[in-house]
Amino acid sequence: MKTMAPQKTSSRLLALLSLLQAHRDWSGHDLAERLDITPRTVRRDIDRLRELGYPIRAFKGPSGGYRLDAGSQLPPLLFDDGQAVALALALRSVAGDGAIGEDAARALATVRQVMPPRLRRRVDMLLVTAVRTPGNDEASPAGTEVLMELGRVIRAREELRFDYGTEPVSARADPAQAAADAGPPRRTQPHHLVAWRGRWYLLAWDLDRDDWRTFRVDRLRPRTPTGPRFTPREIPGGDVAVFVTGRFRGTDGSSADWPCRGQVVLDLPAEAVAPYAQDGIVEELGPERCRLTLGSWSWTGLAATLGHFGTAIHVEGPPQLTDAFAELAARYASAAASTGPAPA
């Protein structure tokens, strides 16, 4: 005869809820076997979870079964220790975001309040400060509401019209005048919301320009009603991250690599260069020399960036980088020789 291991009701309910959250159908017999309890106890525990607000639906079958459905209300959620800590850290990391920071901070306070003391101490010991990129100080005008509306039209595959200006909507003293100054509304097929360096962007197909565009969310004001449904286009290359990264780096989006990439040897130790190499590759060549492979949106931009290291530079290639250094050298020599005010 099988001996049942005694379990507290609360422990049983948590174990049962964990199984139901696996998003699959469970028969009453399988649940009883997994939890080492009787089918009658399973039925009683299901009723207790329903009283707590969990929408558990029973379905017919040889042995009957249960499924946890999405409900209209948010019941208590179940997280294991790792999930709870990860959730708290994720919320803390976006607490400085201009668009959703306030909501994230309130959610973090709620999560922290219901944590057991042992987890709360673990989270409090992990001091995380979200540092915003310089120049990204302006906040999204409508924050969560605008993001949710954009997410809705993306899921619904509806065309979207919006006013788009050169400054954040929140900075416009007269929204009506700003809309008039922006010209006709942009007509787009919205595809993805993208977070890039502290800002939110909408990736969309611009119907009037017949090309892909990225729009800063804090600069757009959606218009209603939305347009007809559309069939989504294929993102060039099929990878949203690669496409968006490439566009921001000045390519056509088919590659996330920089359009200009060069290689130099610097008379500095690798450990002195690595912290400032951004996404470049640093190779140690000796105690006082290293090779740096770095990219930029232009050859002159790359040459100027390399000049920031303040040491001797030996160009390994390509020739365009050598030419860019020569062009910059001529400009700097002319600037050094000039005196007095610039000519009118």
Side-chain angles (χ1 to χ4, degrees):
M1 180 177 177
K2 187 176 182 181
T3 302
M4 299 289 183
Q7 280 185 299
K8 292 183 179 179
T9 301
S10 57
S11 299
R12 269 203 335 269
L13 291 177
L14 289 175
L16 173 58
L17 185 56
S18 180
L19 293 175
L20 291 171
Q21 285 181 331
H23 301 293
R24 53 160 290 190
D25 295 340
W26 289 91
S27 70
H29 175 77
D30 288 343
L31 288 173
E33 191 172 89
R34 288 289 297 269
L35 298 171
D36 200 16
I37 58 179
T38 65
R40 181 181 179 183
T41 303
V42 170
R43 291 192 294 271
R44 288 203 305 264
D45 288 349
I46 290 292
D47 290 338
R48 290 189 179 100
L49 289 176
R50 286 170 174 161
E51 291 173 359
L52 291 173
Y54 290 94
I56 301 173
R57 183 159 61 92
F59 58 88
K60 297 180 179 180
S63 57
Y66 304 96
R67 178 186 301 122
L68 179 63
D69 287 341
S72 58
Q73 296 181 341
L74 182 65
L77 301 177
L78 173 65
F79 298 107
D80 60 30
D81 288 6
Q83 290 173 323
V85 172
L87 176 62
L89 289 178
L91 290 171
R92 183 174 290 175
S93 68
V94 298
D97 186 284
I100 61 174
E102 183 179 350
D103 291 335
R106 290 191 298 107
L108 175 60
T110 301
V111 170
R112 186 185 177 280
Q113 185 177 10
V114 299
M115 278 184 170
R118 57 186 175 80
L119 288 185
R120 193 180 305 128
R121 284 193 294 270
R122 288 179 60 187
V123 170
D124 290 344
M125 285 190 299
L126 292 168
L127 301 178
V128 177
T129 301
V131 180
R132 300 181 63 184
T133 304
N136 290 356
D137 296 330
E138 64 270 29
S140 177
T144 305
E145 291 77 11
V146 171
L147 292 172
M148 290 181 64
E149 173 61 14
L150 295 179
R152 185 195 69 78
V153 295
I154 289 171
R155 288 191 303 272
R157 299 177 180 177
E158 296 174 350
E159 292 184 4
L160 177 68
R161 297 178 306 130
F162 54 84
D163 298 314
Y164 193 70
T166 57
E167 59 183 7
V169 174
S170 58
R172 303 172 194 172
D174 185 349
Q177 183 60 44
D181 294 341
R186 308 297 285 266
R187 298 170 50 250
T188 65
Q189 295 177 345
H191 281 257
H192 293 275
L193 272 174
V194 180
W196 172 270
R197 296 187 175 182
R199 289 195 179 106
W200 287 96
Y201 293 86
L202 173 68
L203 174 61
W205 178 263
D206 193 311
L207 292 168
D208 294 320
R209 290 157 179 79
D210 198 32
D211 193 12
W212 292 98
R213 291 289 190 270
T214 52
F215 302 95
R216 273 179 50 173
V217 171
D218 62 342
R219 291 181 179 176
L220 65 83
R221 182 188 296 274
R223 287 199 176 193
T224 56
T226 54
R229 291 173 60 87
F230 64 90
T231 301
R233 300 168 184 266
E234 183 71 21
I235 298 291
D239 189 311
V240 175
V242 170
F243 179 78
V244 172
T245 302
R247 279 298 181 95
F248 278 119
R249 289 181 171 178
T251 72
D252 60 0
S254 59
S255 170
D257 202 359
W258 290 103
C260 303
R261 183 172 289 273
Q263 192 171 83
V264 299
V265 173
L266 303 176
D267 289 347
L268 287 172
E271 59 268 23
V273 174
Y276 308 100
Q278 301 176 3
D279 59 352
I281 301 172
V282 181
E283 303 172 66
E284 184 178 2
L285 299 180
E288 296 297 329
R289 298 181 81 223
C290 68
R291 176 181 291 111
L292 173 60
T293 304
L294 192 64
S296 181
W297 61 275
S298 72
W299 291 112
T300 52
L302 178 56
T305 299
L306 291 168
H308 292 167
F309 287 98
T311 187
I313 303 172
H314 313 276
V315 180
E316 292 192 339
Q320 294 94 321
L321 181 56
T322 302
D323 295 341
F325 274 115
E327 181 181 345
L328 282 180
R331 290 184 191 174
Y332 293 157
S334 176
S338 63
T339 57

